[in-house]
Amino acid sequence: MTFGLVWPALLGLLLAGYFVLAGFDYGVQMLAPRLGRDDRERRALLNAFGPFFLGNEVWLVAAAGVLFGAFPLLEGRLLSGMYFPFAAILVGIVVGNTAVQLRSRHRSATARRLWDGLIFLGGLVPAVGWGLVTGRLLAGVPLDARNVFSIGPADLLHPFVLLCGATTTAVFLAHGAAFLAWRTGGAPGARAARAGCRALLVAAVAAAAVLVTGFLSSARHALVNPWPALATGGALVVVLLTGAALLRAGRTGRAFAATSCAAALPVVALGAGLHPFALVTSGAPGTSGTGLRLAEAMADAGTLRILTVFAAVMVPLMVLSQVWNWWMFRDRAGRTRTYL
C-alpha cells in the first residue's frame, strides 16, 4: 500500500472518528439545557458524557496534525480559504468545553442559565459549522489557477450547503439523544429517546433533501464520483430511519450504534465524492474533475516516511486510550463518579 492510499485513508479515519465521538458531545450540549427539567437533571445529563468529552476532541487534534504534516499544501489552501467557518467552529468548541467545566462552579440560577446558554451554543456552532464546511467542499470551492480560494457568506448561503448544515445538526442532535437514552435512565432517558426519534426523522428528511437539491443544483457539477456519493447519502437516510425504529423499540445501545454510523457517513460521502481530489472547482457544467489532487497536496516521500513511523506508534496508543476510557466508565451515568 503506497503513501497515496495510507495517508488519505488515515485522515479520513481520524475525521470520521472525530465526527462520531465529538458528534454526540455536541448533541448532548444542545439537548442538556432543554431535557433537564431542573438543575439536578441537567447536571446528571452533562455527567453522562463527562468522562469522554475532552478525549473525544483528541481526534480533531490528530486529524489536524495529519493535515499539517502530510498535506501541507491542502492545509494552506483549506484553512485560509475557509478561515471564518473554521474560526467559528474552534470558538464554539472552546466556549462549549469551558462552559461545561465551569457551570458547576457557580451556584446562582442566573449564572447557571448563562452557562447553559453557552453550552447550547458550544454544541450548535460546531454542528452547523461542520455541515457547512462539508457541504461547501462537496459543492466545490471557487479555485483560481493556483488552486487558491476564499469563500464569503454568499458561498455558504447556497441551498445545498445550508441543507448540509441542517443535516449534520440534526444528526449530531439525534446522536447525542441516543447517547443519553443509552447512558441514563428514568425520566431524562425517556425524554432523550423521544427527542432522538424526532431528530432522526428530521435528519432523514434533511438528508433526502440534500440528495434532491444536490442533483438539481450546480453542486452536482463539482463531484468527481457522483454515484458513490449518492449511494452514501442514500445509506445515511436508511441508517437514520433504522436508528429511529431502534430508539422507538427501546434498543438504545443499537440505536447509538446506528447514529454513530450516521455521524461518520458525511466524511465517507466527502471522500467518495471527491477522490482522487482534495478540493474541486465549483461552477458550471464541465468543471468536474478539476482542482487540487490529493497526490499534489501531499508532503514529499522523505517527510511521509518519518511521519509514518510516528503515526504507527501514536495512532494505536490513541485508540487504546479511548478503549480503556470507555471500559473504565462502561456503567451507566449515576453509577460512576461525577465530574461536572
Side-chain angles (χ1 to χ4, degrees), residues 42-102:
R42 282 190 282 275
R43 188 179 182 197
L45 292 173
L46 292 176
N47 271 302
F49 82 147
F52 312 114
F53 81 104
L54 286 178
N56 294 341
E57 303 293 350
V58 171
W59 289 74
L60 177 60
V61 176
V66 169
L67 190 64
F68 277 80
F71 300 92
L73 187 60
L74 174 61
E75 172 265 321
R77 302 292 190 268
L78 190 61
L79 297 189
S80 62
M82 292 191 170
Y83 177 81
F84 288 108
F86 283 126
I89 289 170
L90 290 178
V91 169
I93 292 172
V94 171
V95 168
N97 286 355
T98 303
V100 167
Q101 294 180 83
L102 293 183

Side-chain angles (χ1 to χ4, degrees), residues 23-282:
F24 74 77
D25 287 357
Y26 304 144
V28 171
Q29 288 176 237
M30 287 186 279
L31 285 168
R34 180 172 176 78
L35 287 184
R37 294 292 169 81
D38 54 33
D39 189 67
R40 184 186 59 82
E41 285 191 357
R42 282 190 282 275
R43 188 179 182 197
L45 292 173
L46 292 176
N47 271 302
F49 82 147
F52 312 114
F53 81 104
L54 286 178
N56 294 341
E57 303 293 350
V58 171
W59 289 74
L60 177 60
V61 176
V66 169
L67 190 64
F68 277 80
F71 300 92
L73 187 60
L74 174 61
E75 172 265 321
R77 302 292 190 268
L78 190 61
L79 297 189
S80 62
M82 292 191 170
Y83 177 81
F84 288 108
F86 283 126
I89 289 170
L90 290 178
V91 169
I93 292 172
V94 171
V95 168
N97 286 355
T98 303
V100 167
Q101 294 180 83
L102 293 183
R103 181 183 183 278
S104 64
R105 303 293 190 273
H106 300 89
R107 296 186 180 278
S108 75
T110 302
R112 291 200 170 179
R113 278 197 297 272
L114 173 63
W115 288 123
D116 284 341
L118 294 176
I119 289 170
F120 173 79
L121 289 175
L124 178 67
V125 172
V128 176
W130 284 117
L132 295 178
V133 168
T134 303
R136 191 62 267 173
L137 291 176
L138 281 170
V141 290
L143 294 171
D144 65 13
R146 298 175 299 140
N147 287 326
V148 176
F149 73 99
S150 179
I151 64 168
D155 296 300
L156 297 177
L157 294 177
H158 189 285
F160 174 80
V161 178
L162 292 175
L163 279 171
C164 287
T167 301
T168 56
T169 304
V171 168
F172 288 168
L173 199 66
H175 194 28
F179 174 79
L180 289 175
W182 175 50
R183 286 274 298 173
T184 64
R191 287 197 291 272
R194 290 194 294 272
C197 284
R198 291 193 292 270
L200 281 162
L201 294 177
V202 170
V205 171
V210 166
L211 295 177
V212 174
T213 307
F215 181 78
L216 296 177
S217 72
S218 61
R220 72 180 188 277
H221 301 309
L223 284 177
V224 183
N225 310 301
W227 289 112
L230 186 65
T232 306
L236 176 59
V237 175
V238 172
V239 168
L240 291 169
L241 294 175
T242 303
L246 289 169
L247 261 188
R248 193 174 294 114
R251 304 286 185 88
T252 55
R254 294 183 183 184
F256 180 64
T259 58
S260 297
C261 293
L265 282 174
V267 179
V268 177
L270 193 60
L274 299 189
H275 189 80
F277 288 83
L279 299 172
V280 292
T281 305
S282 59

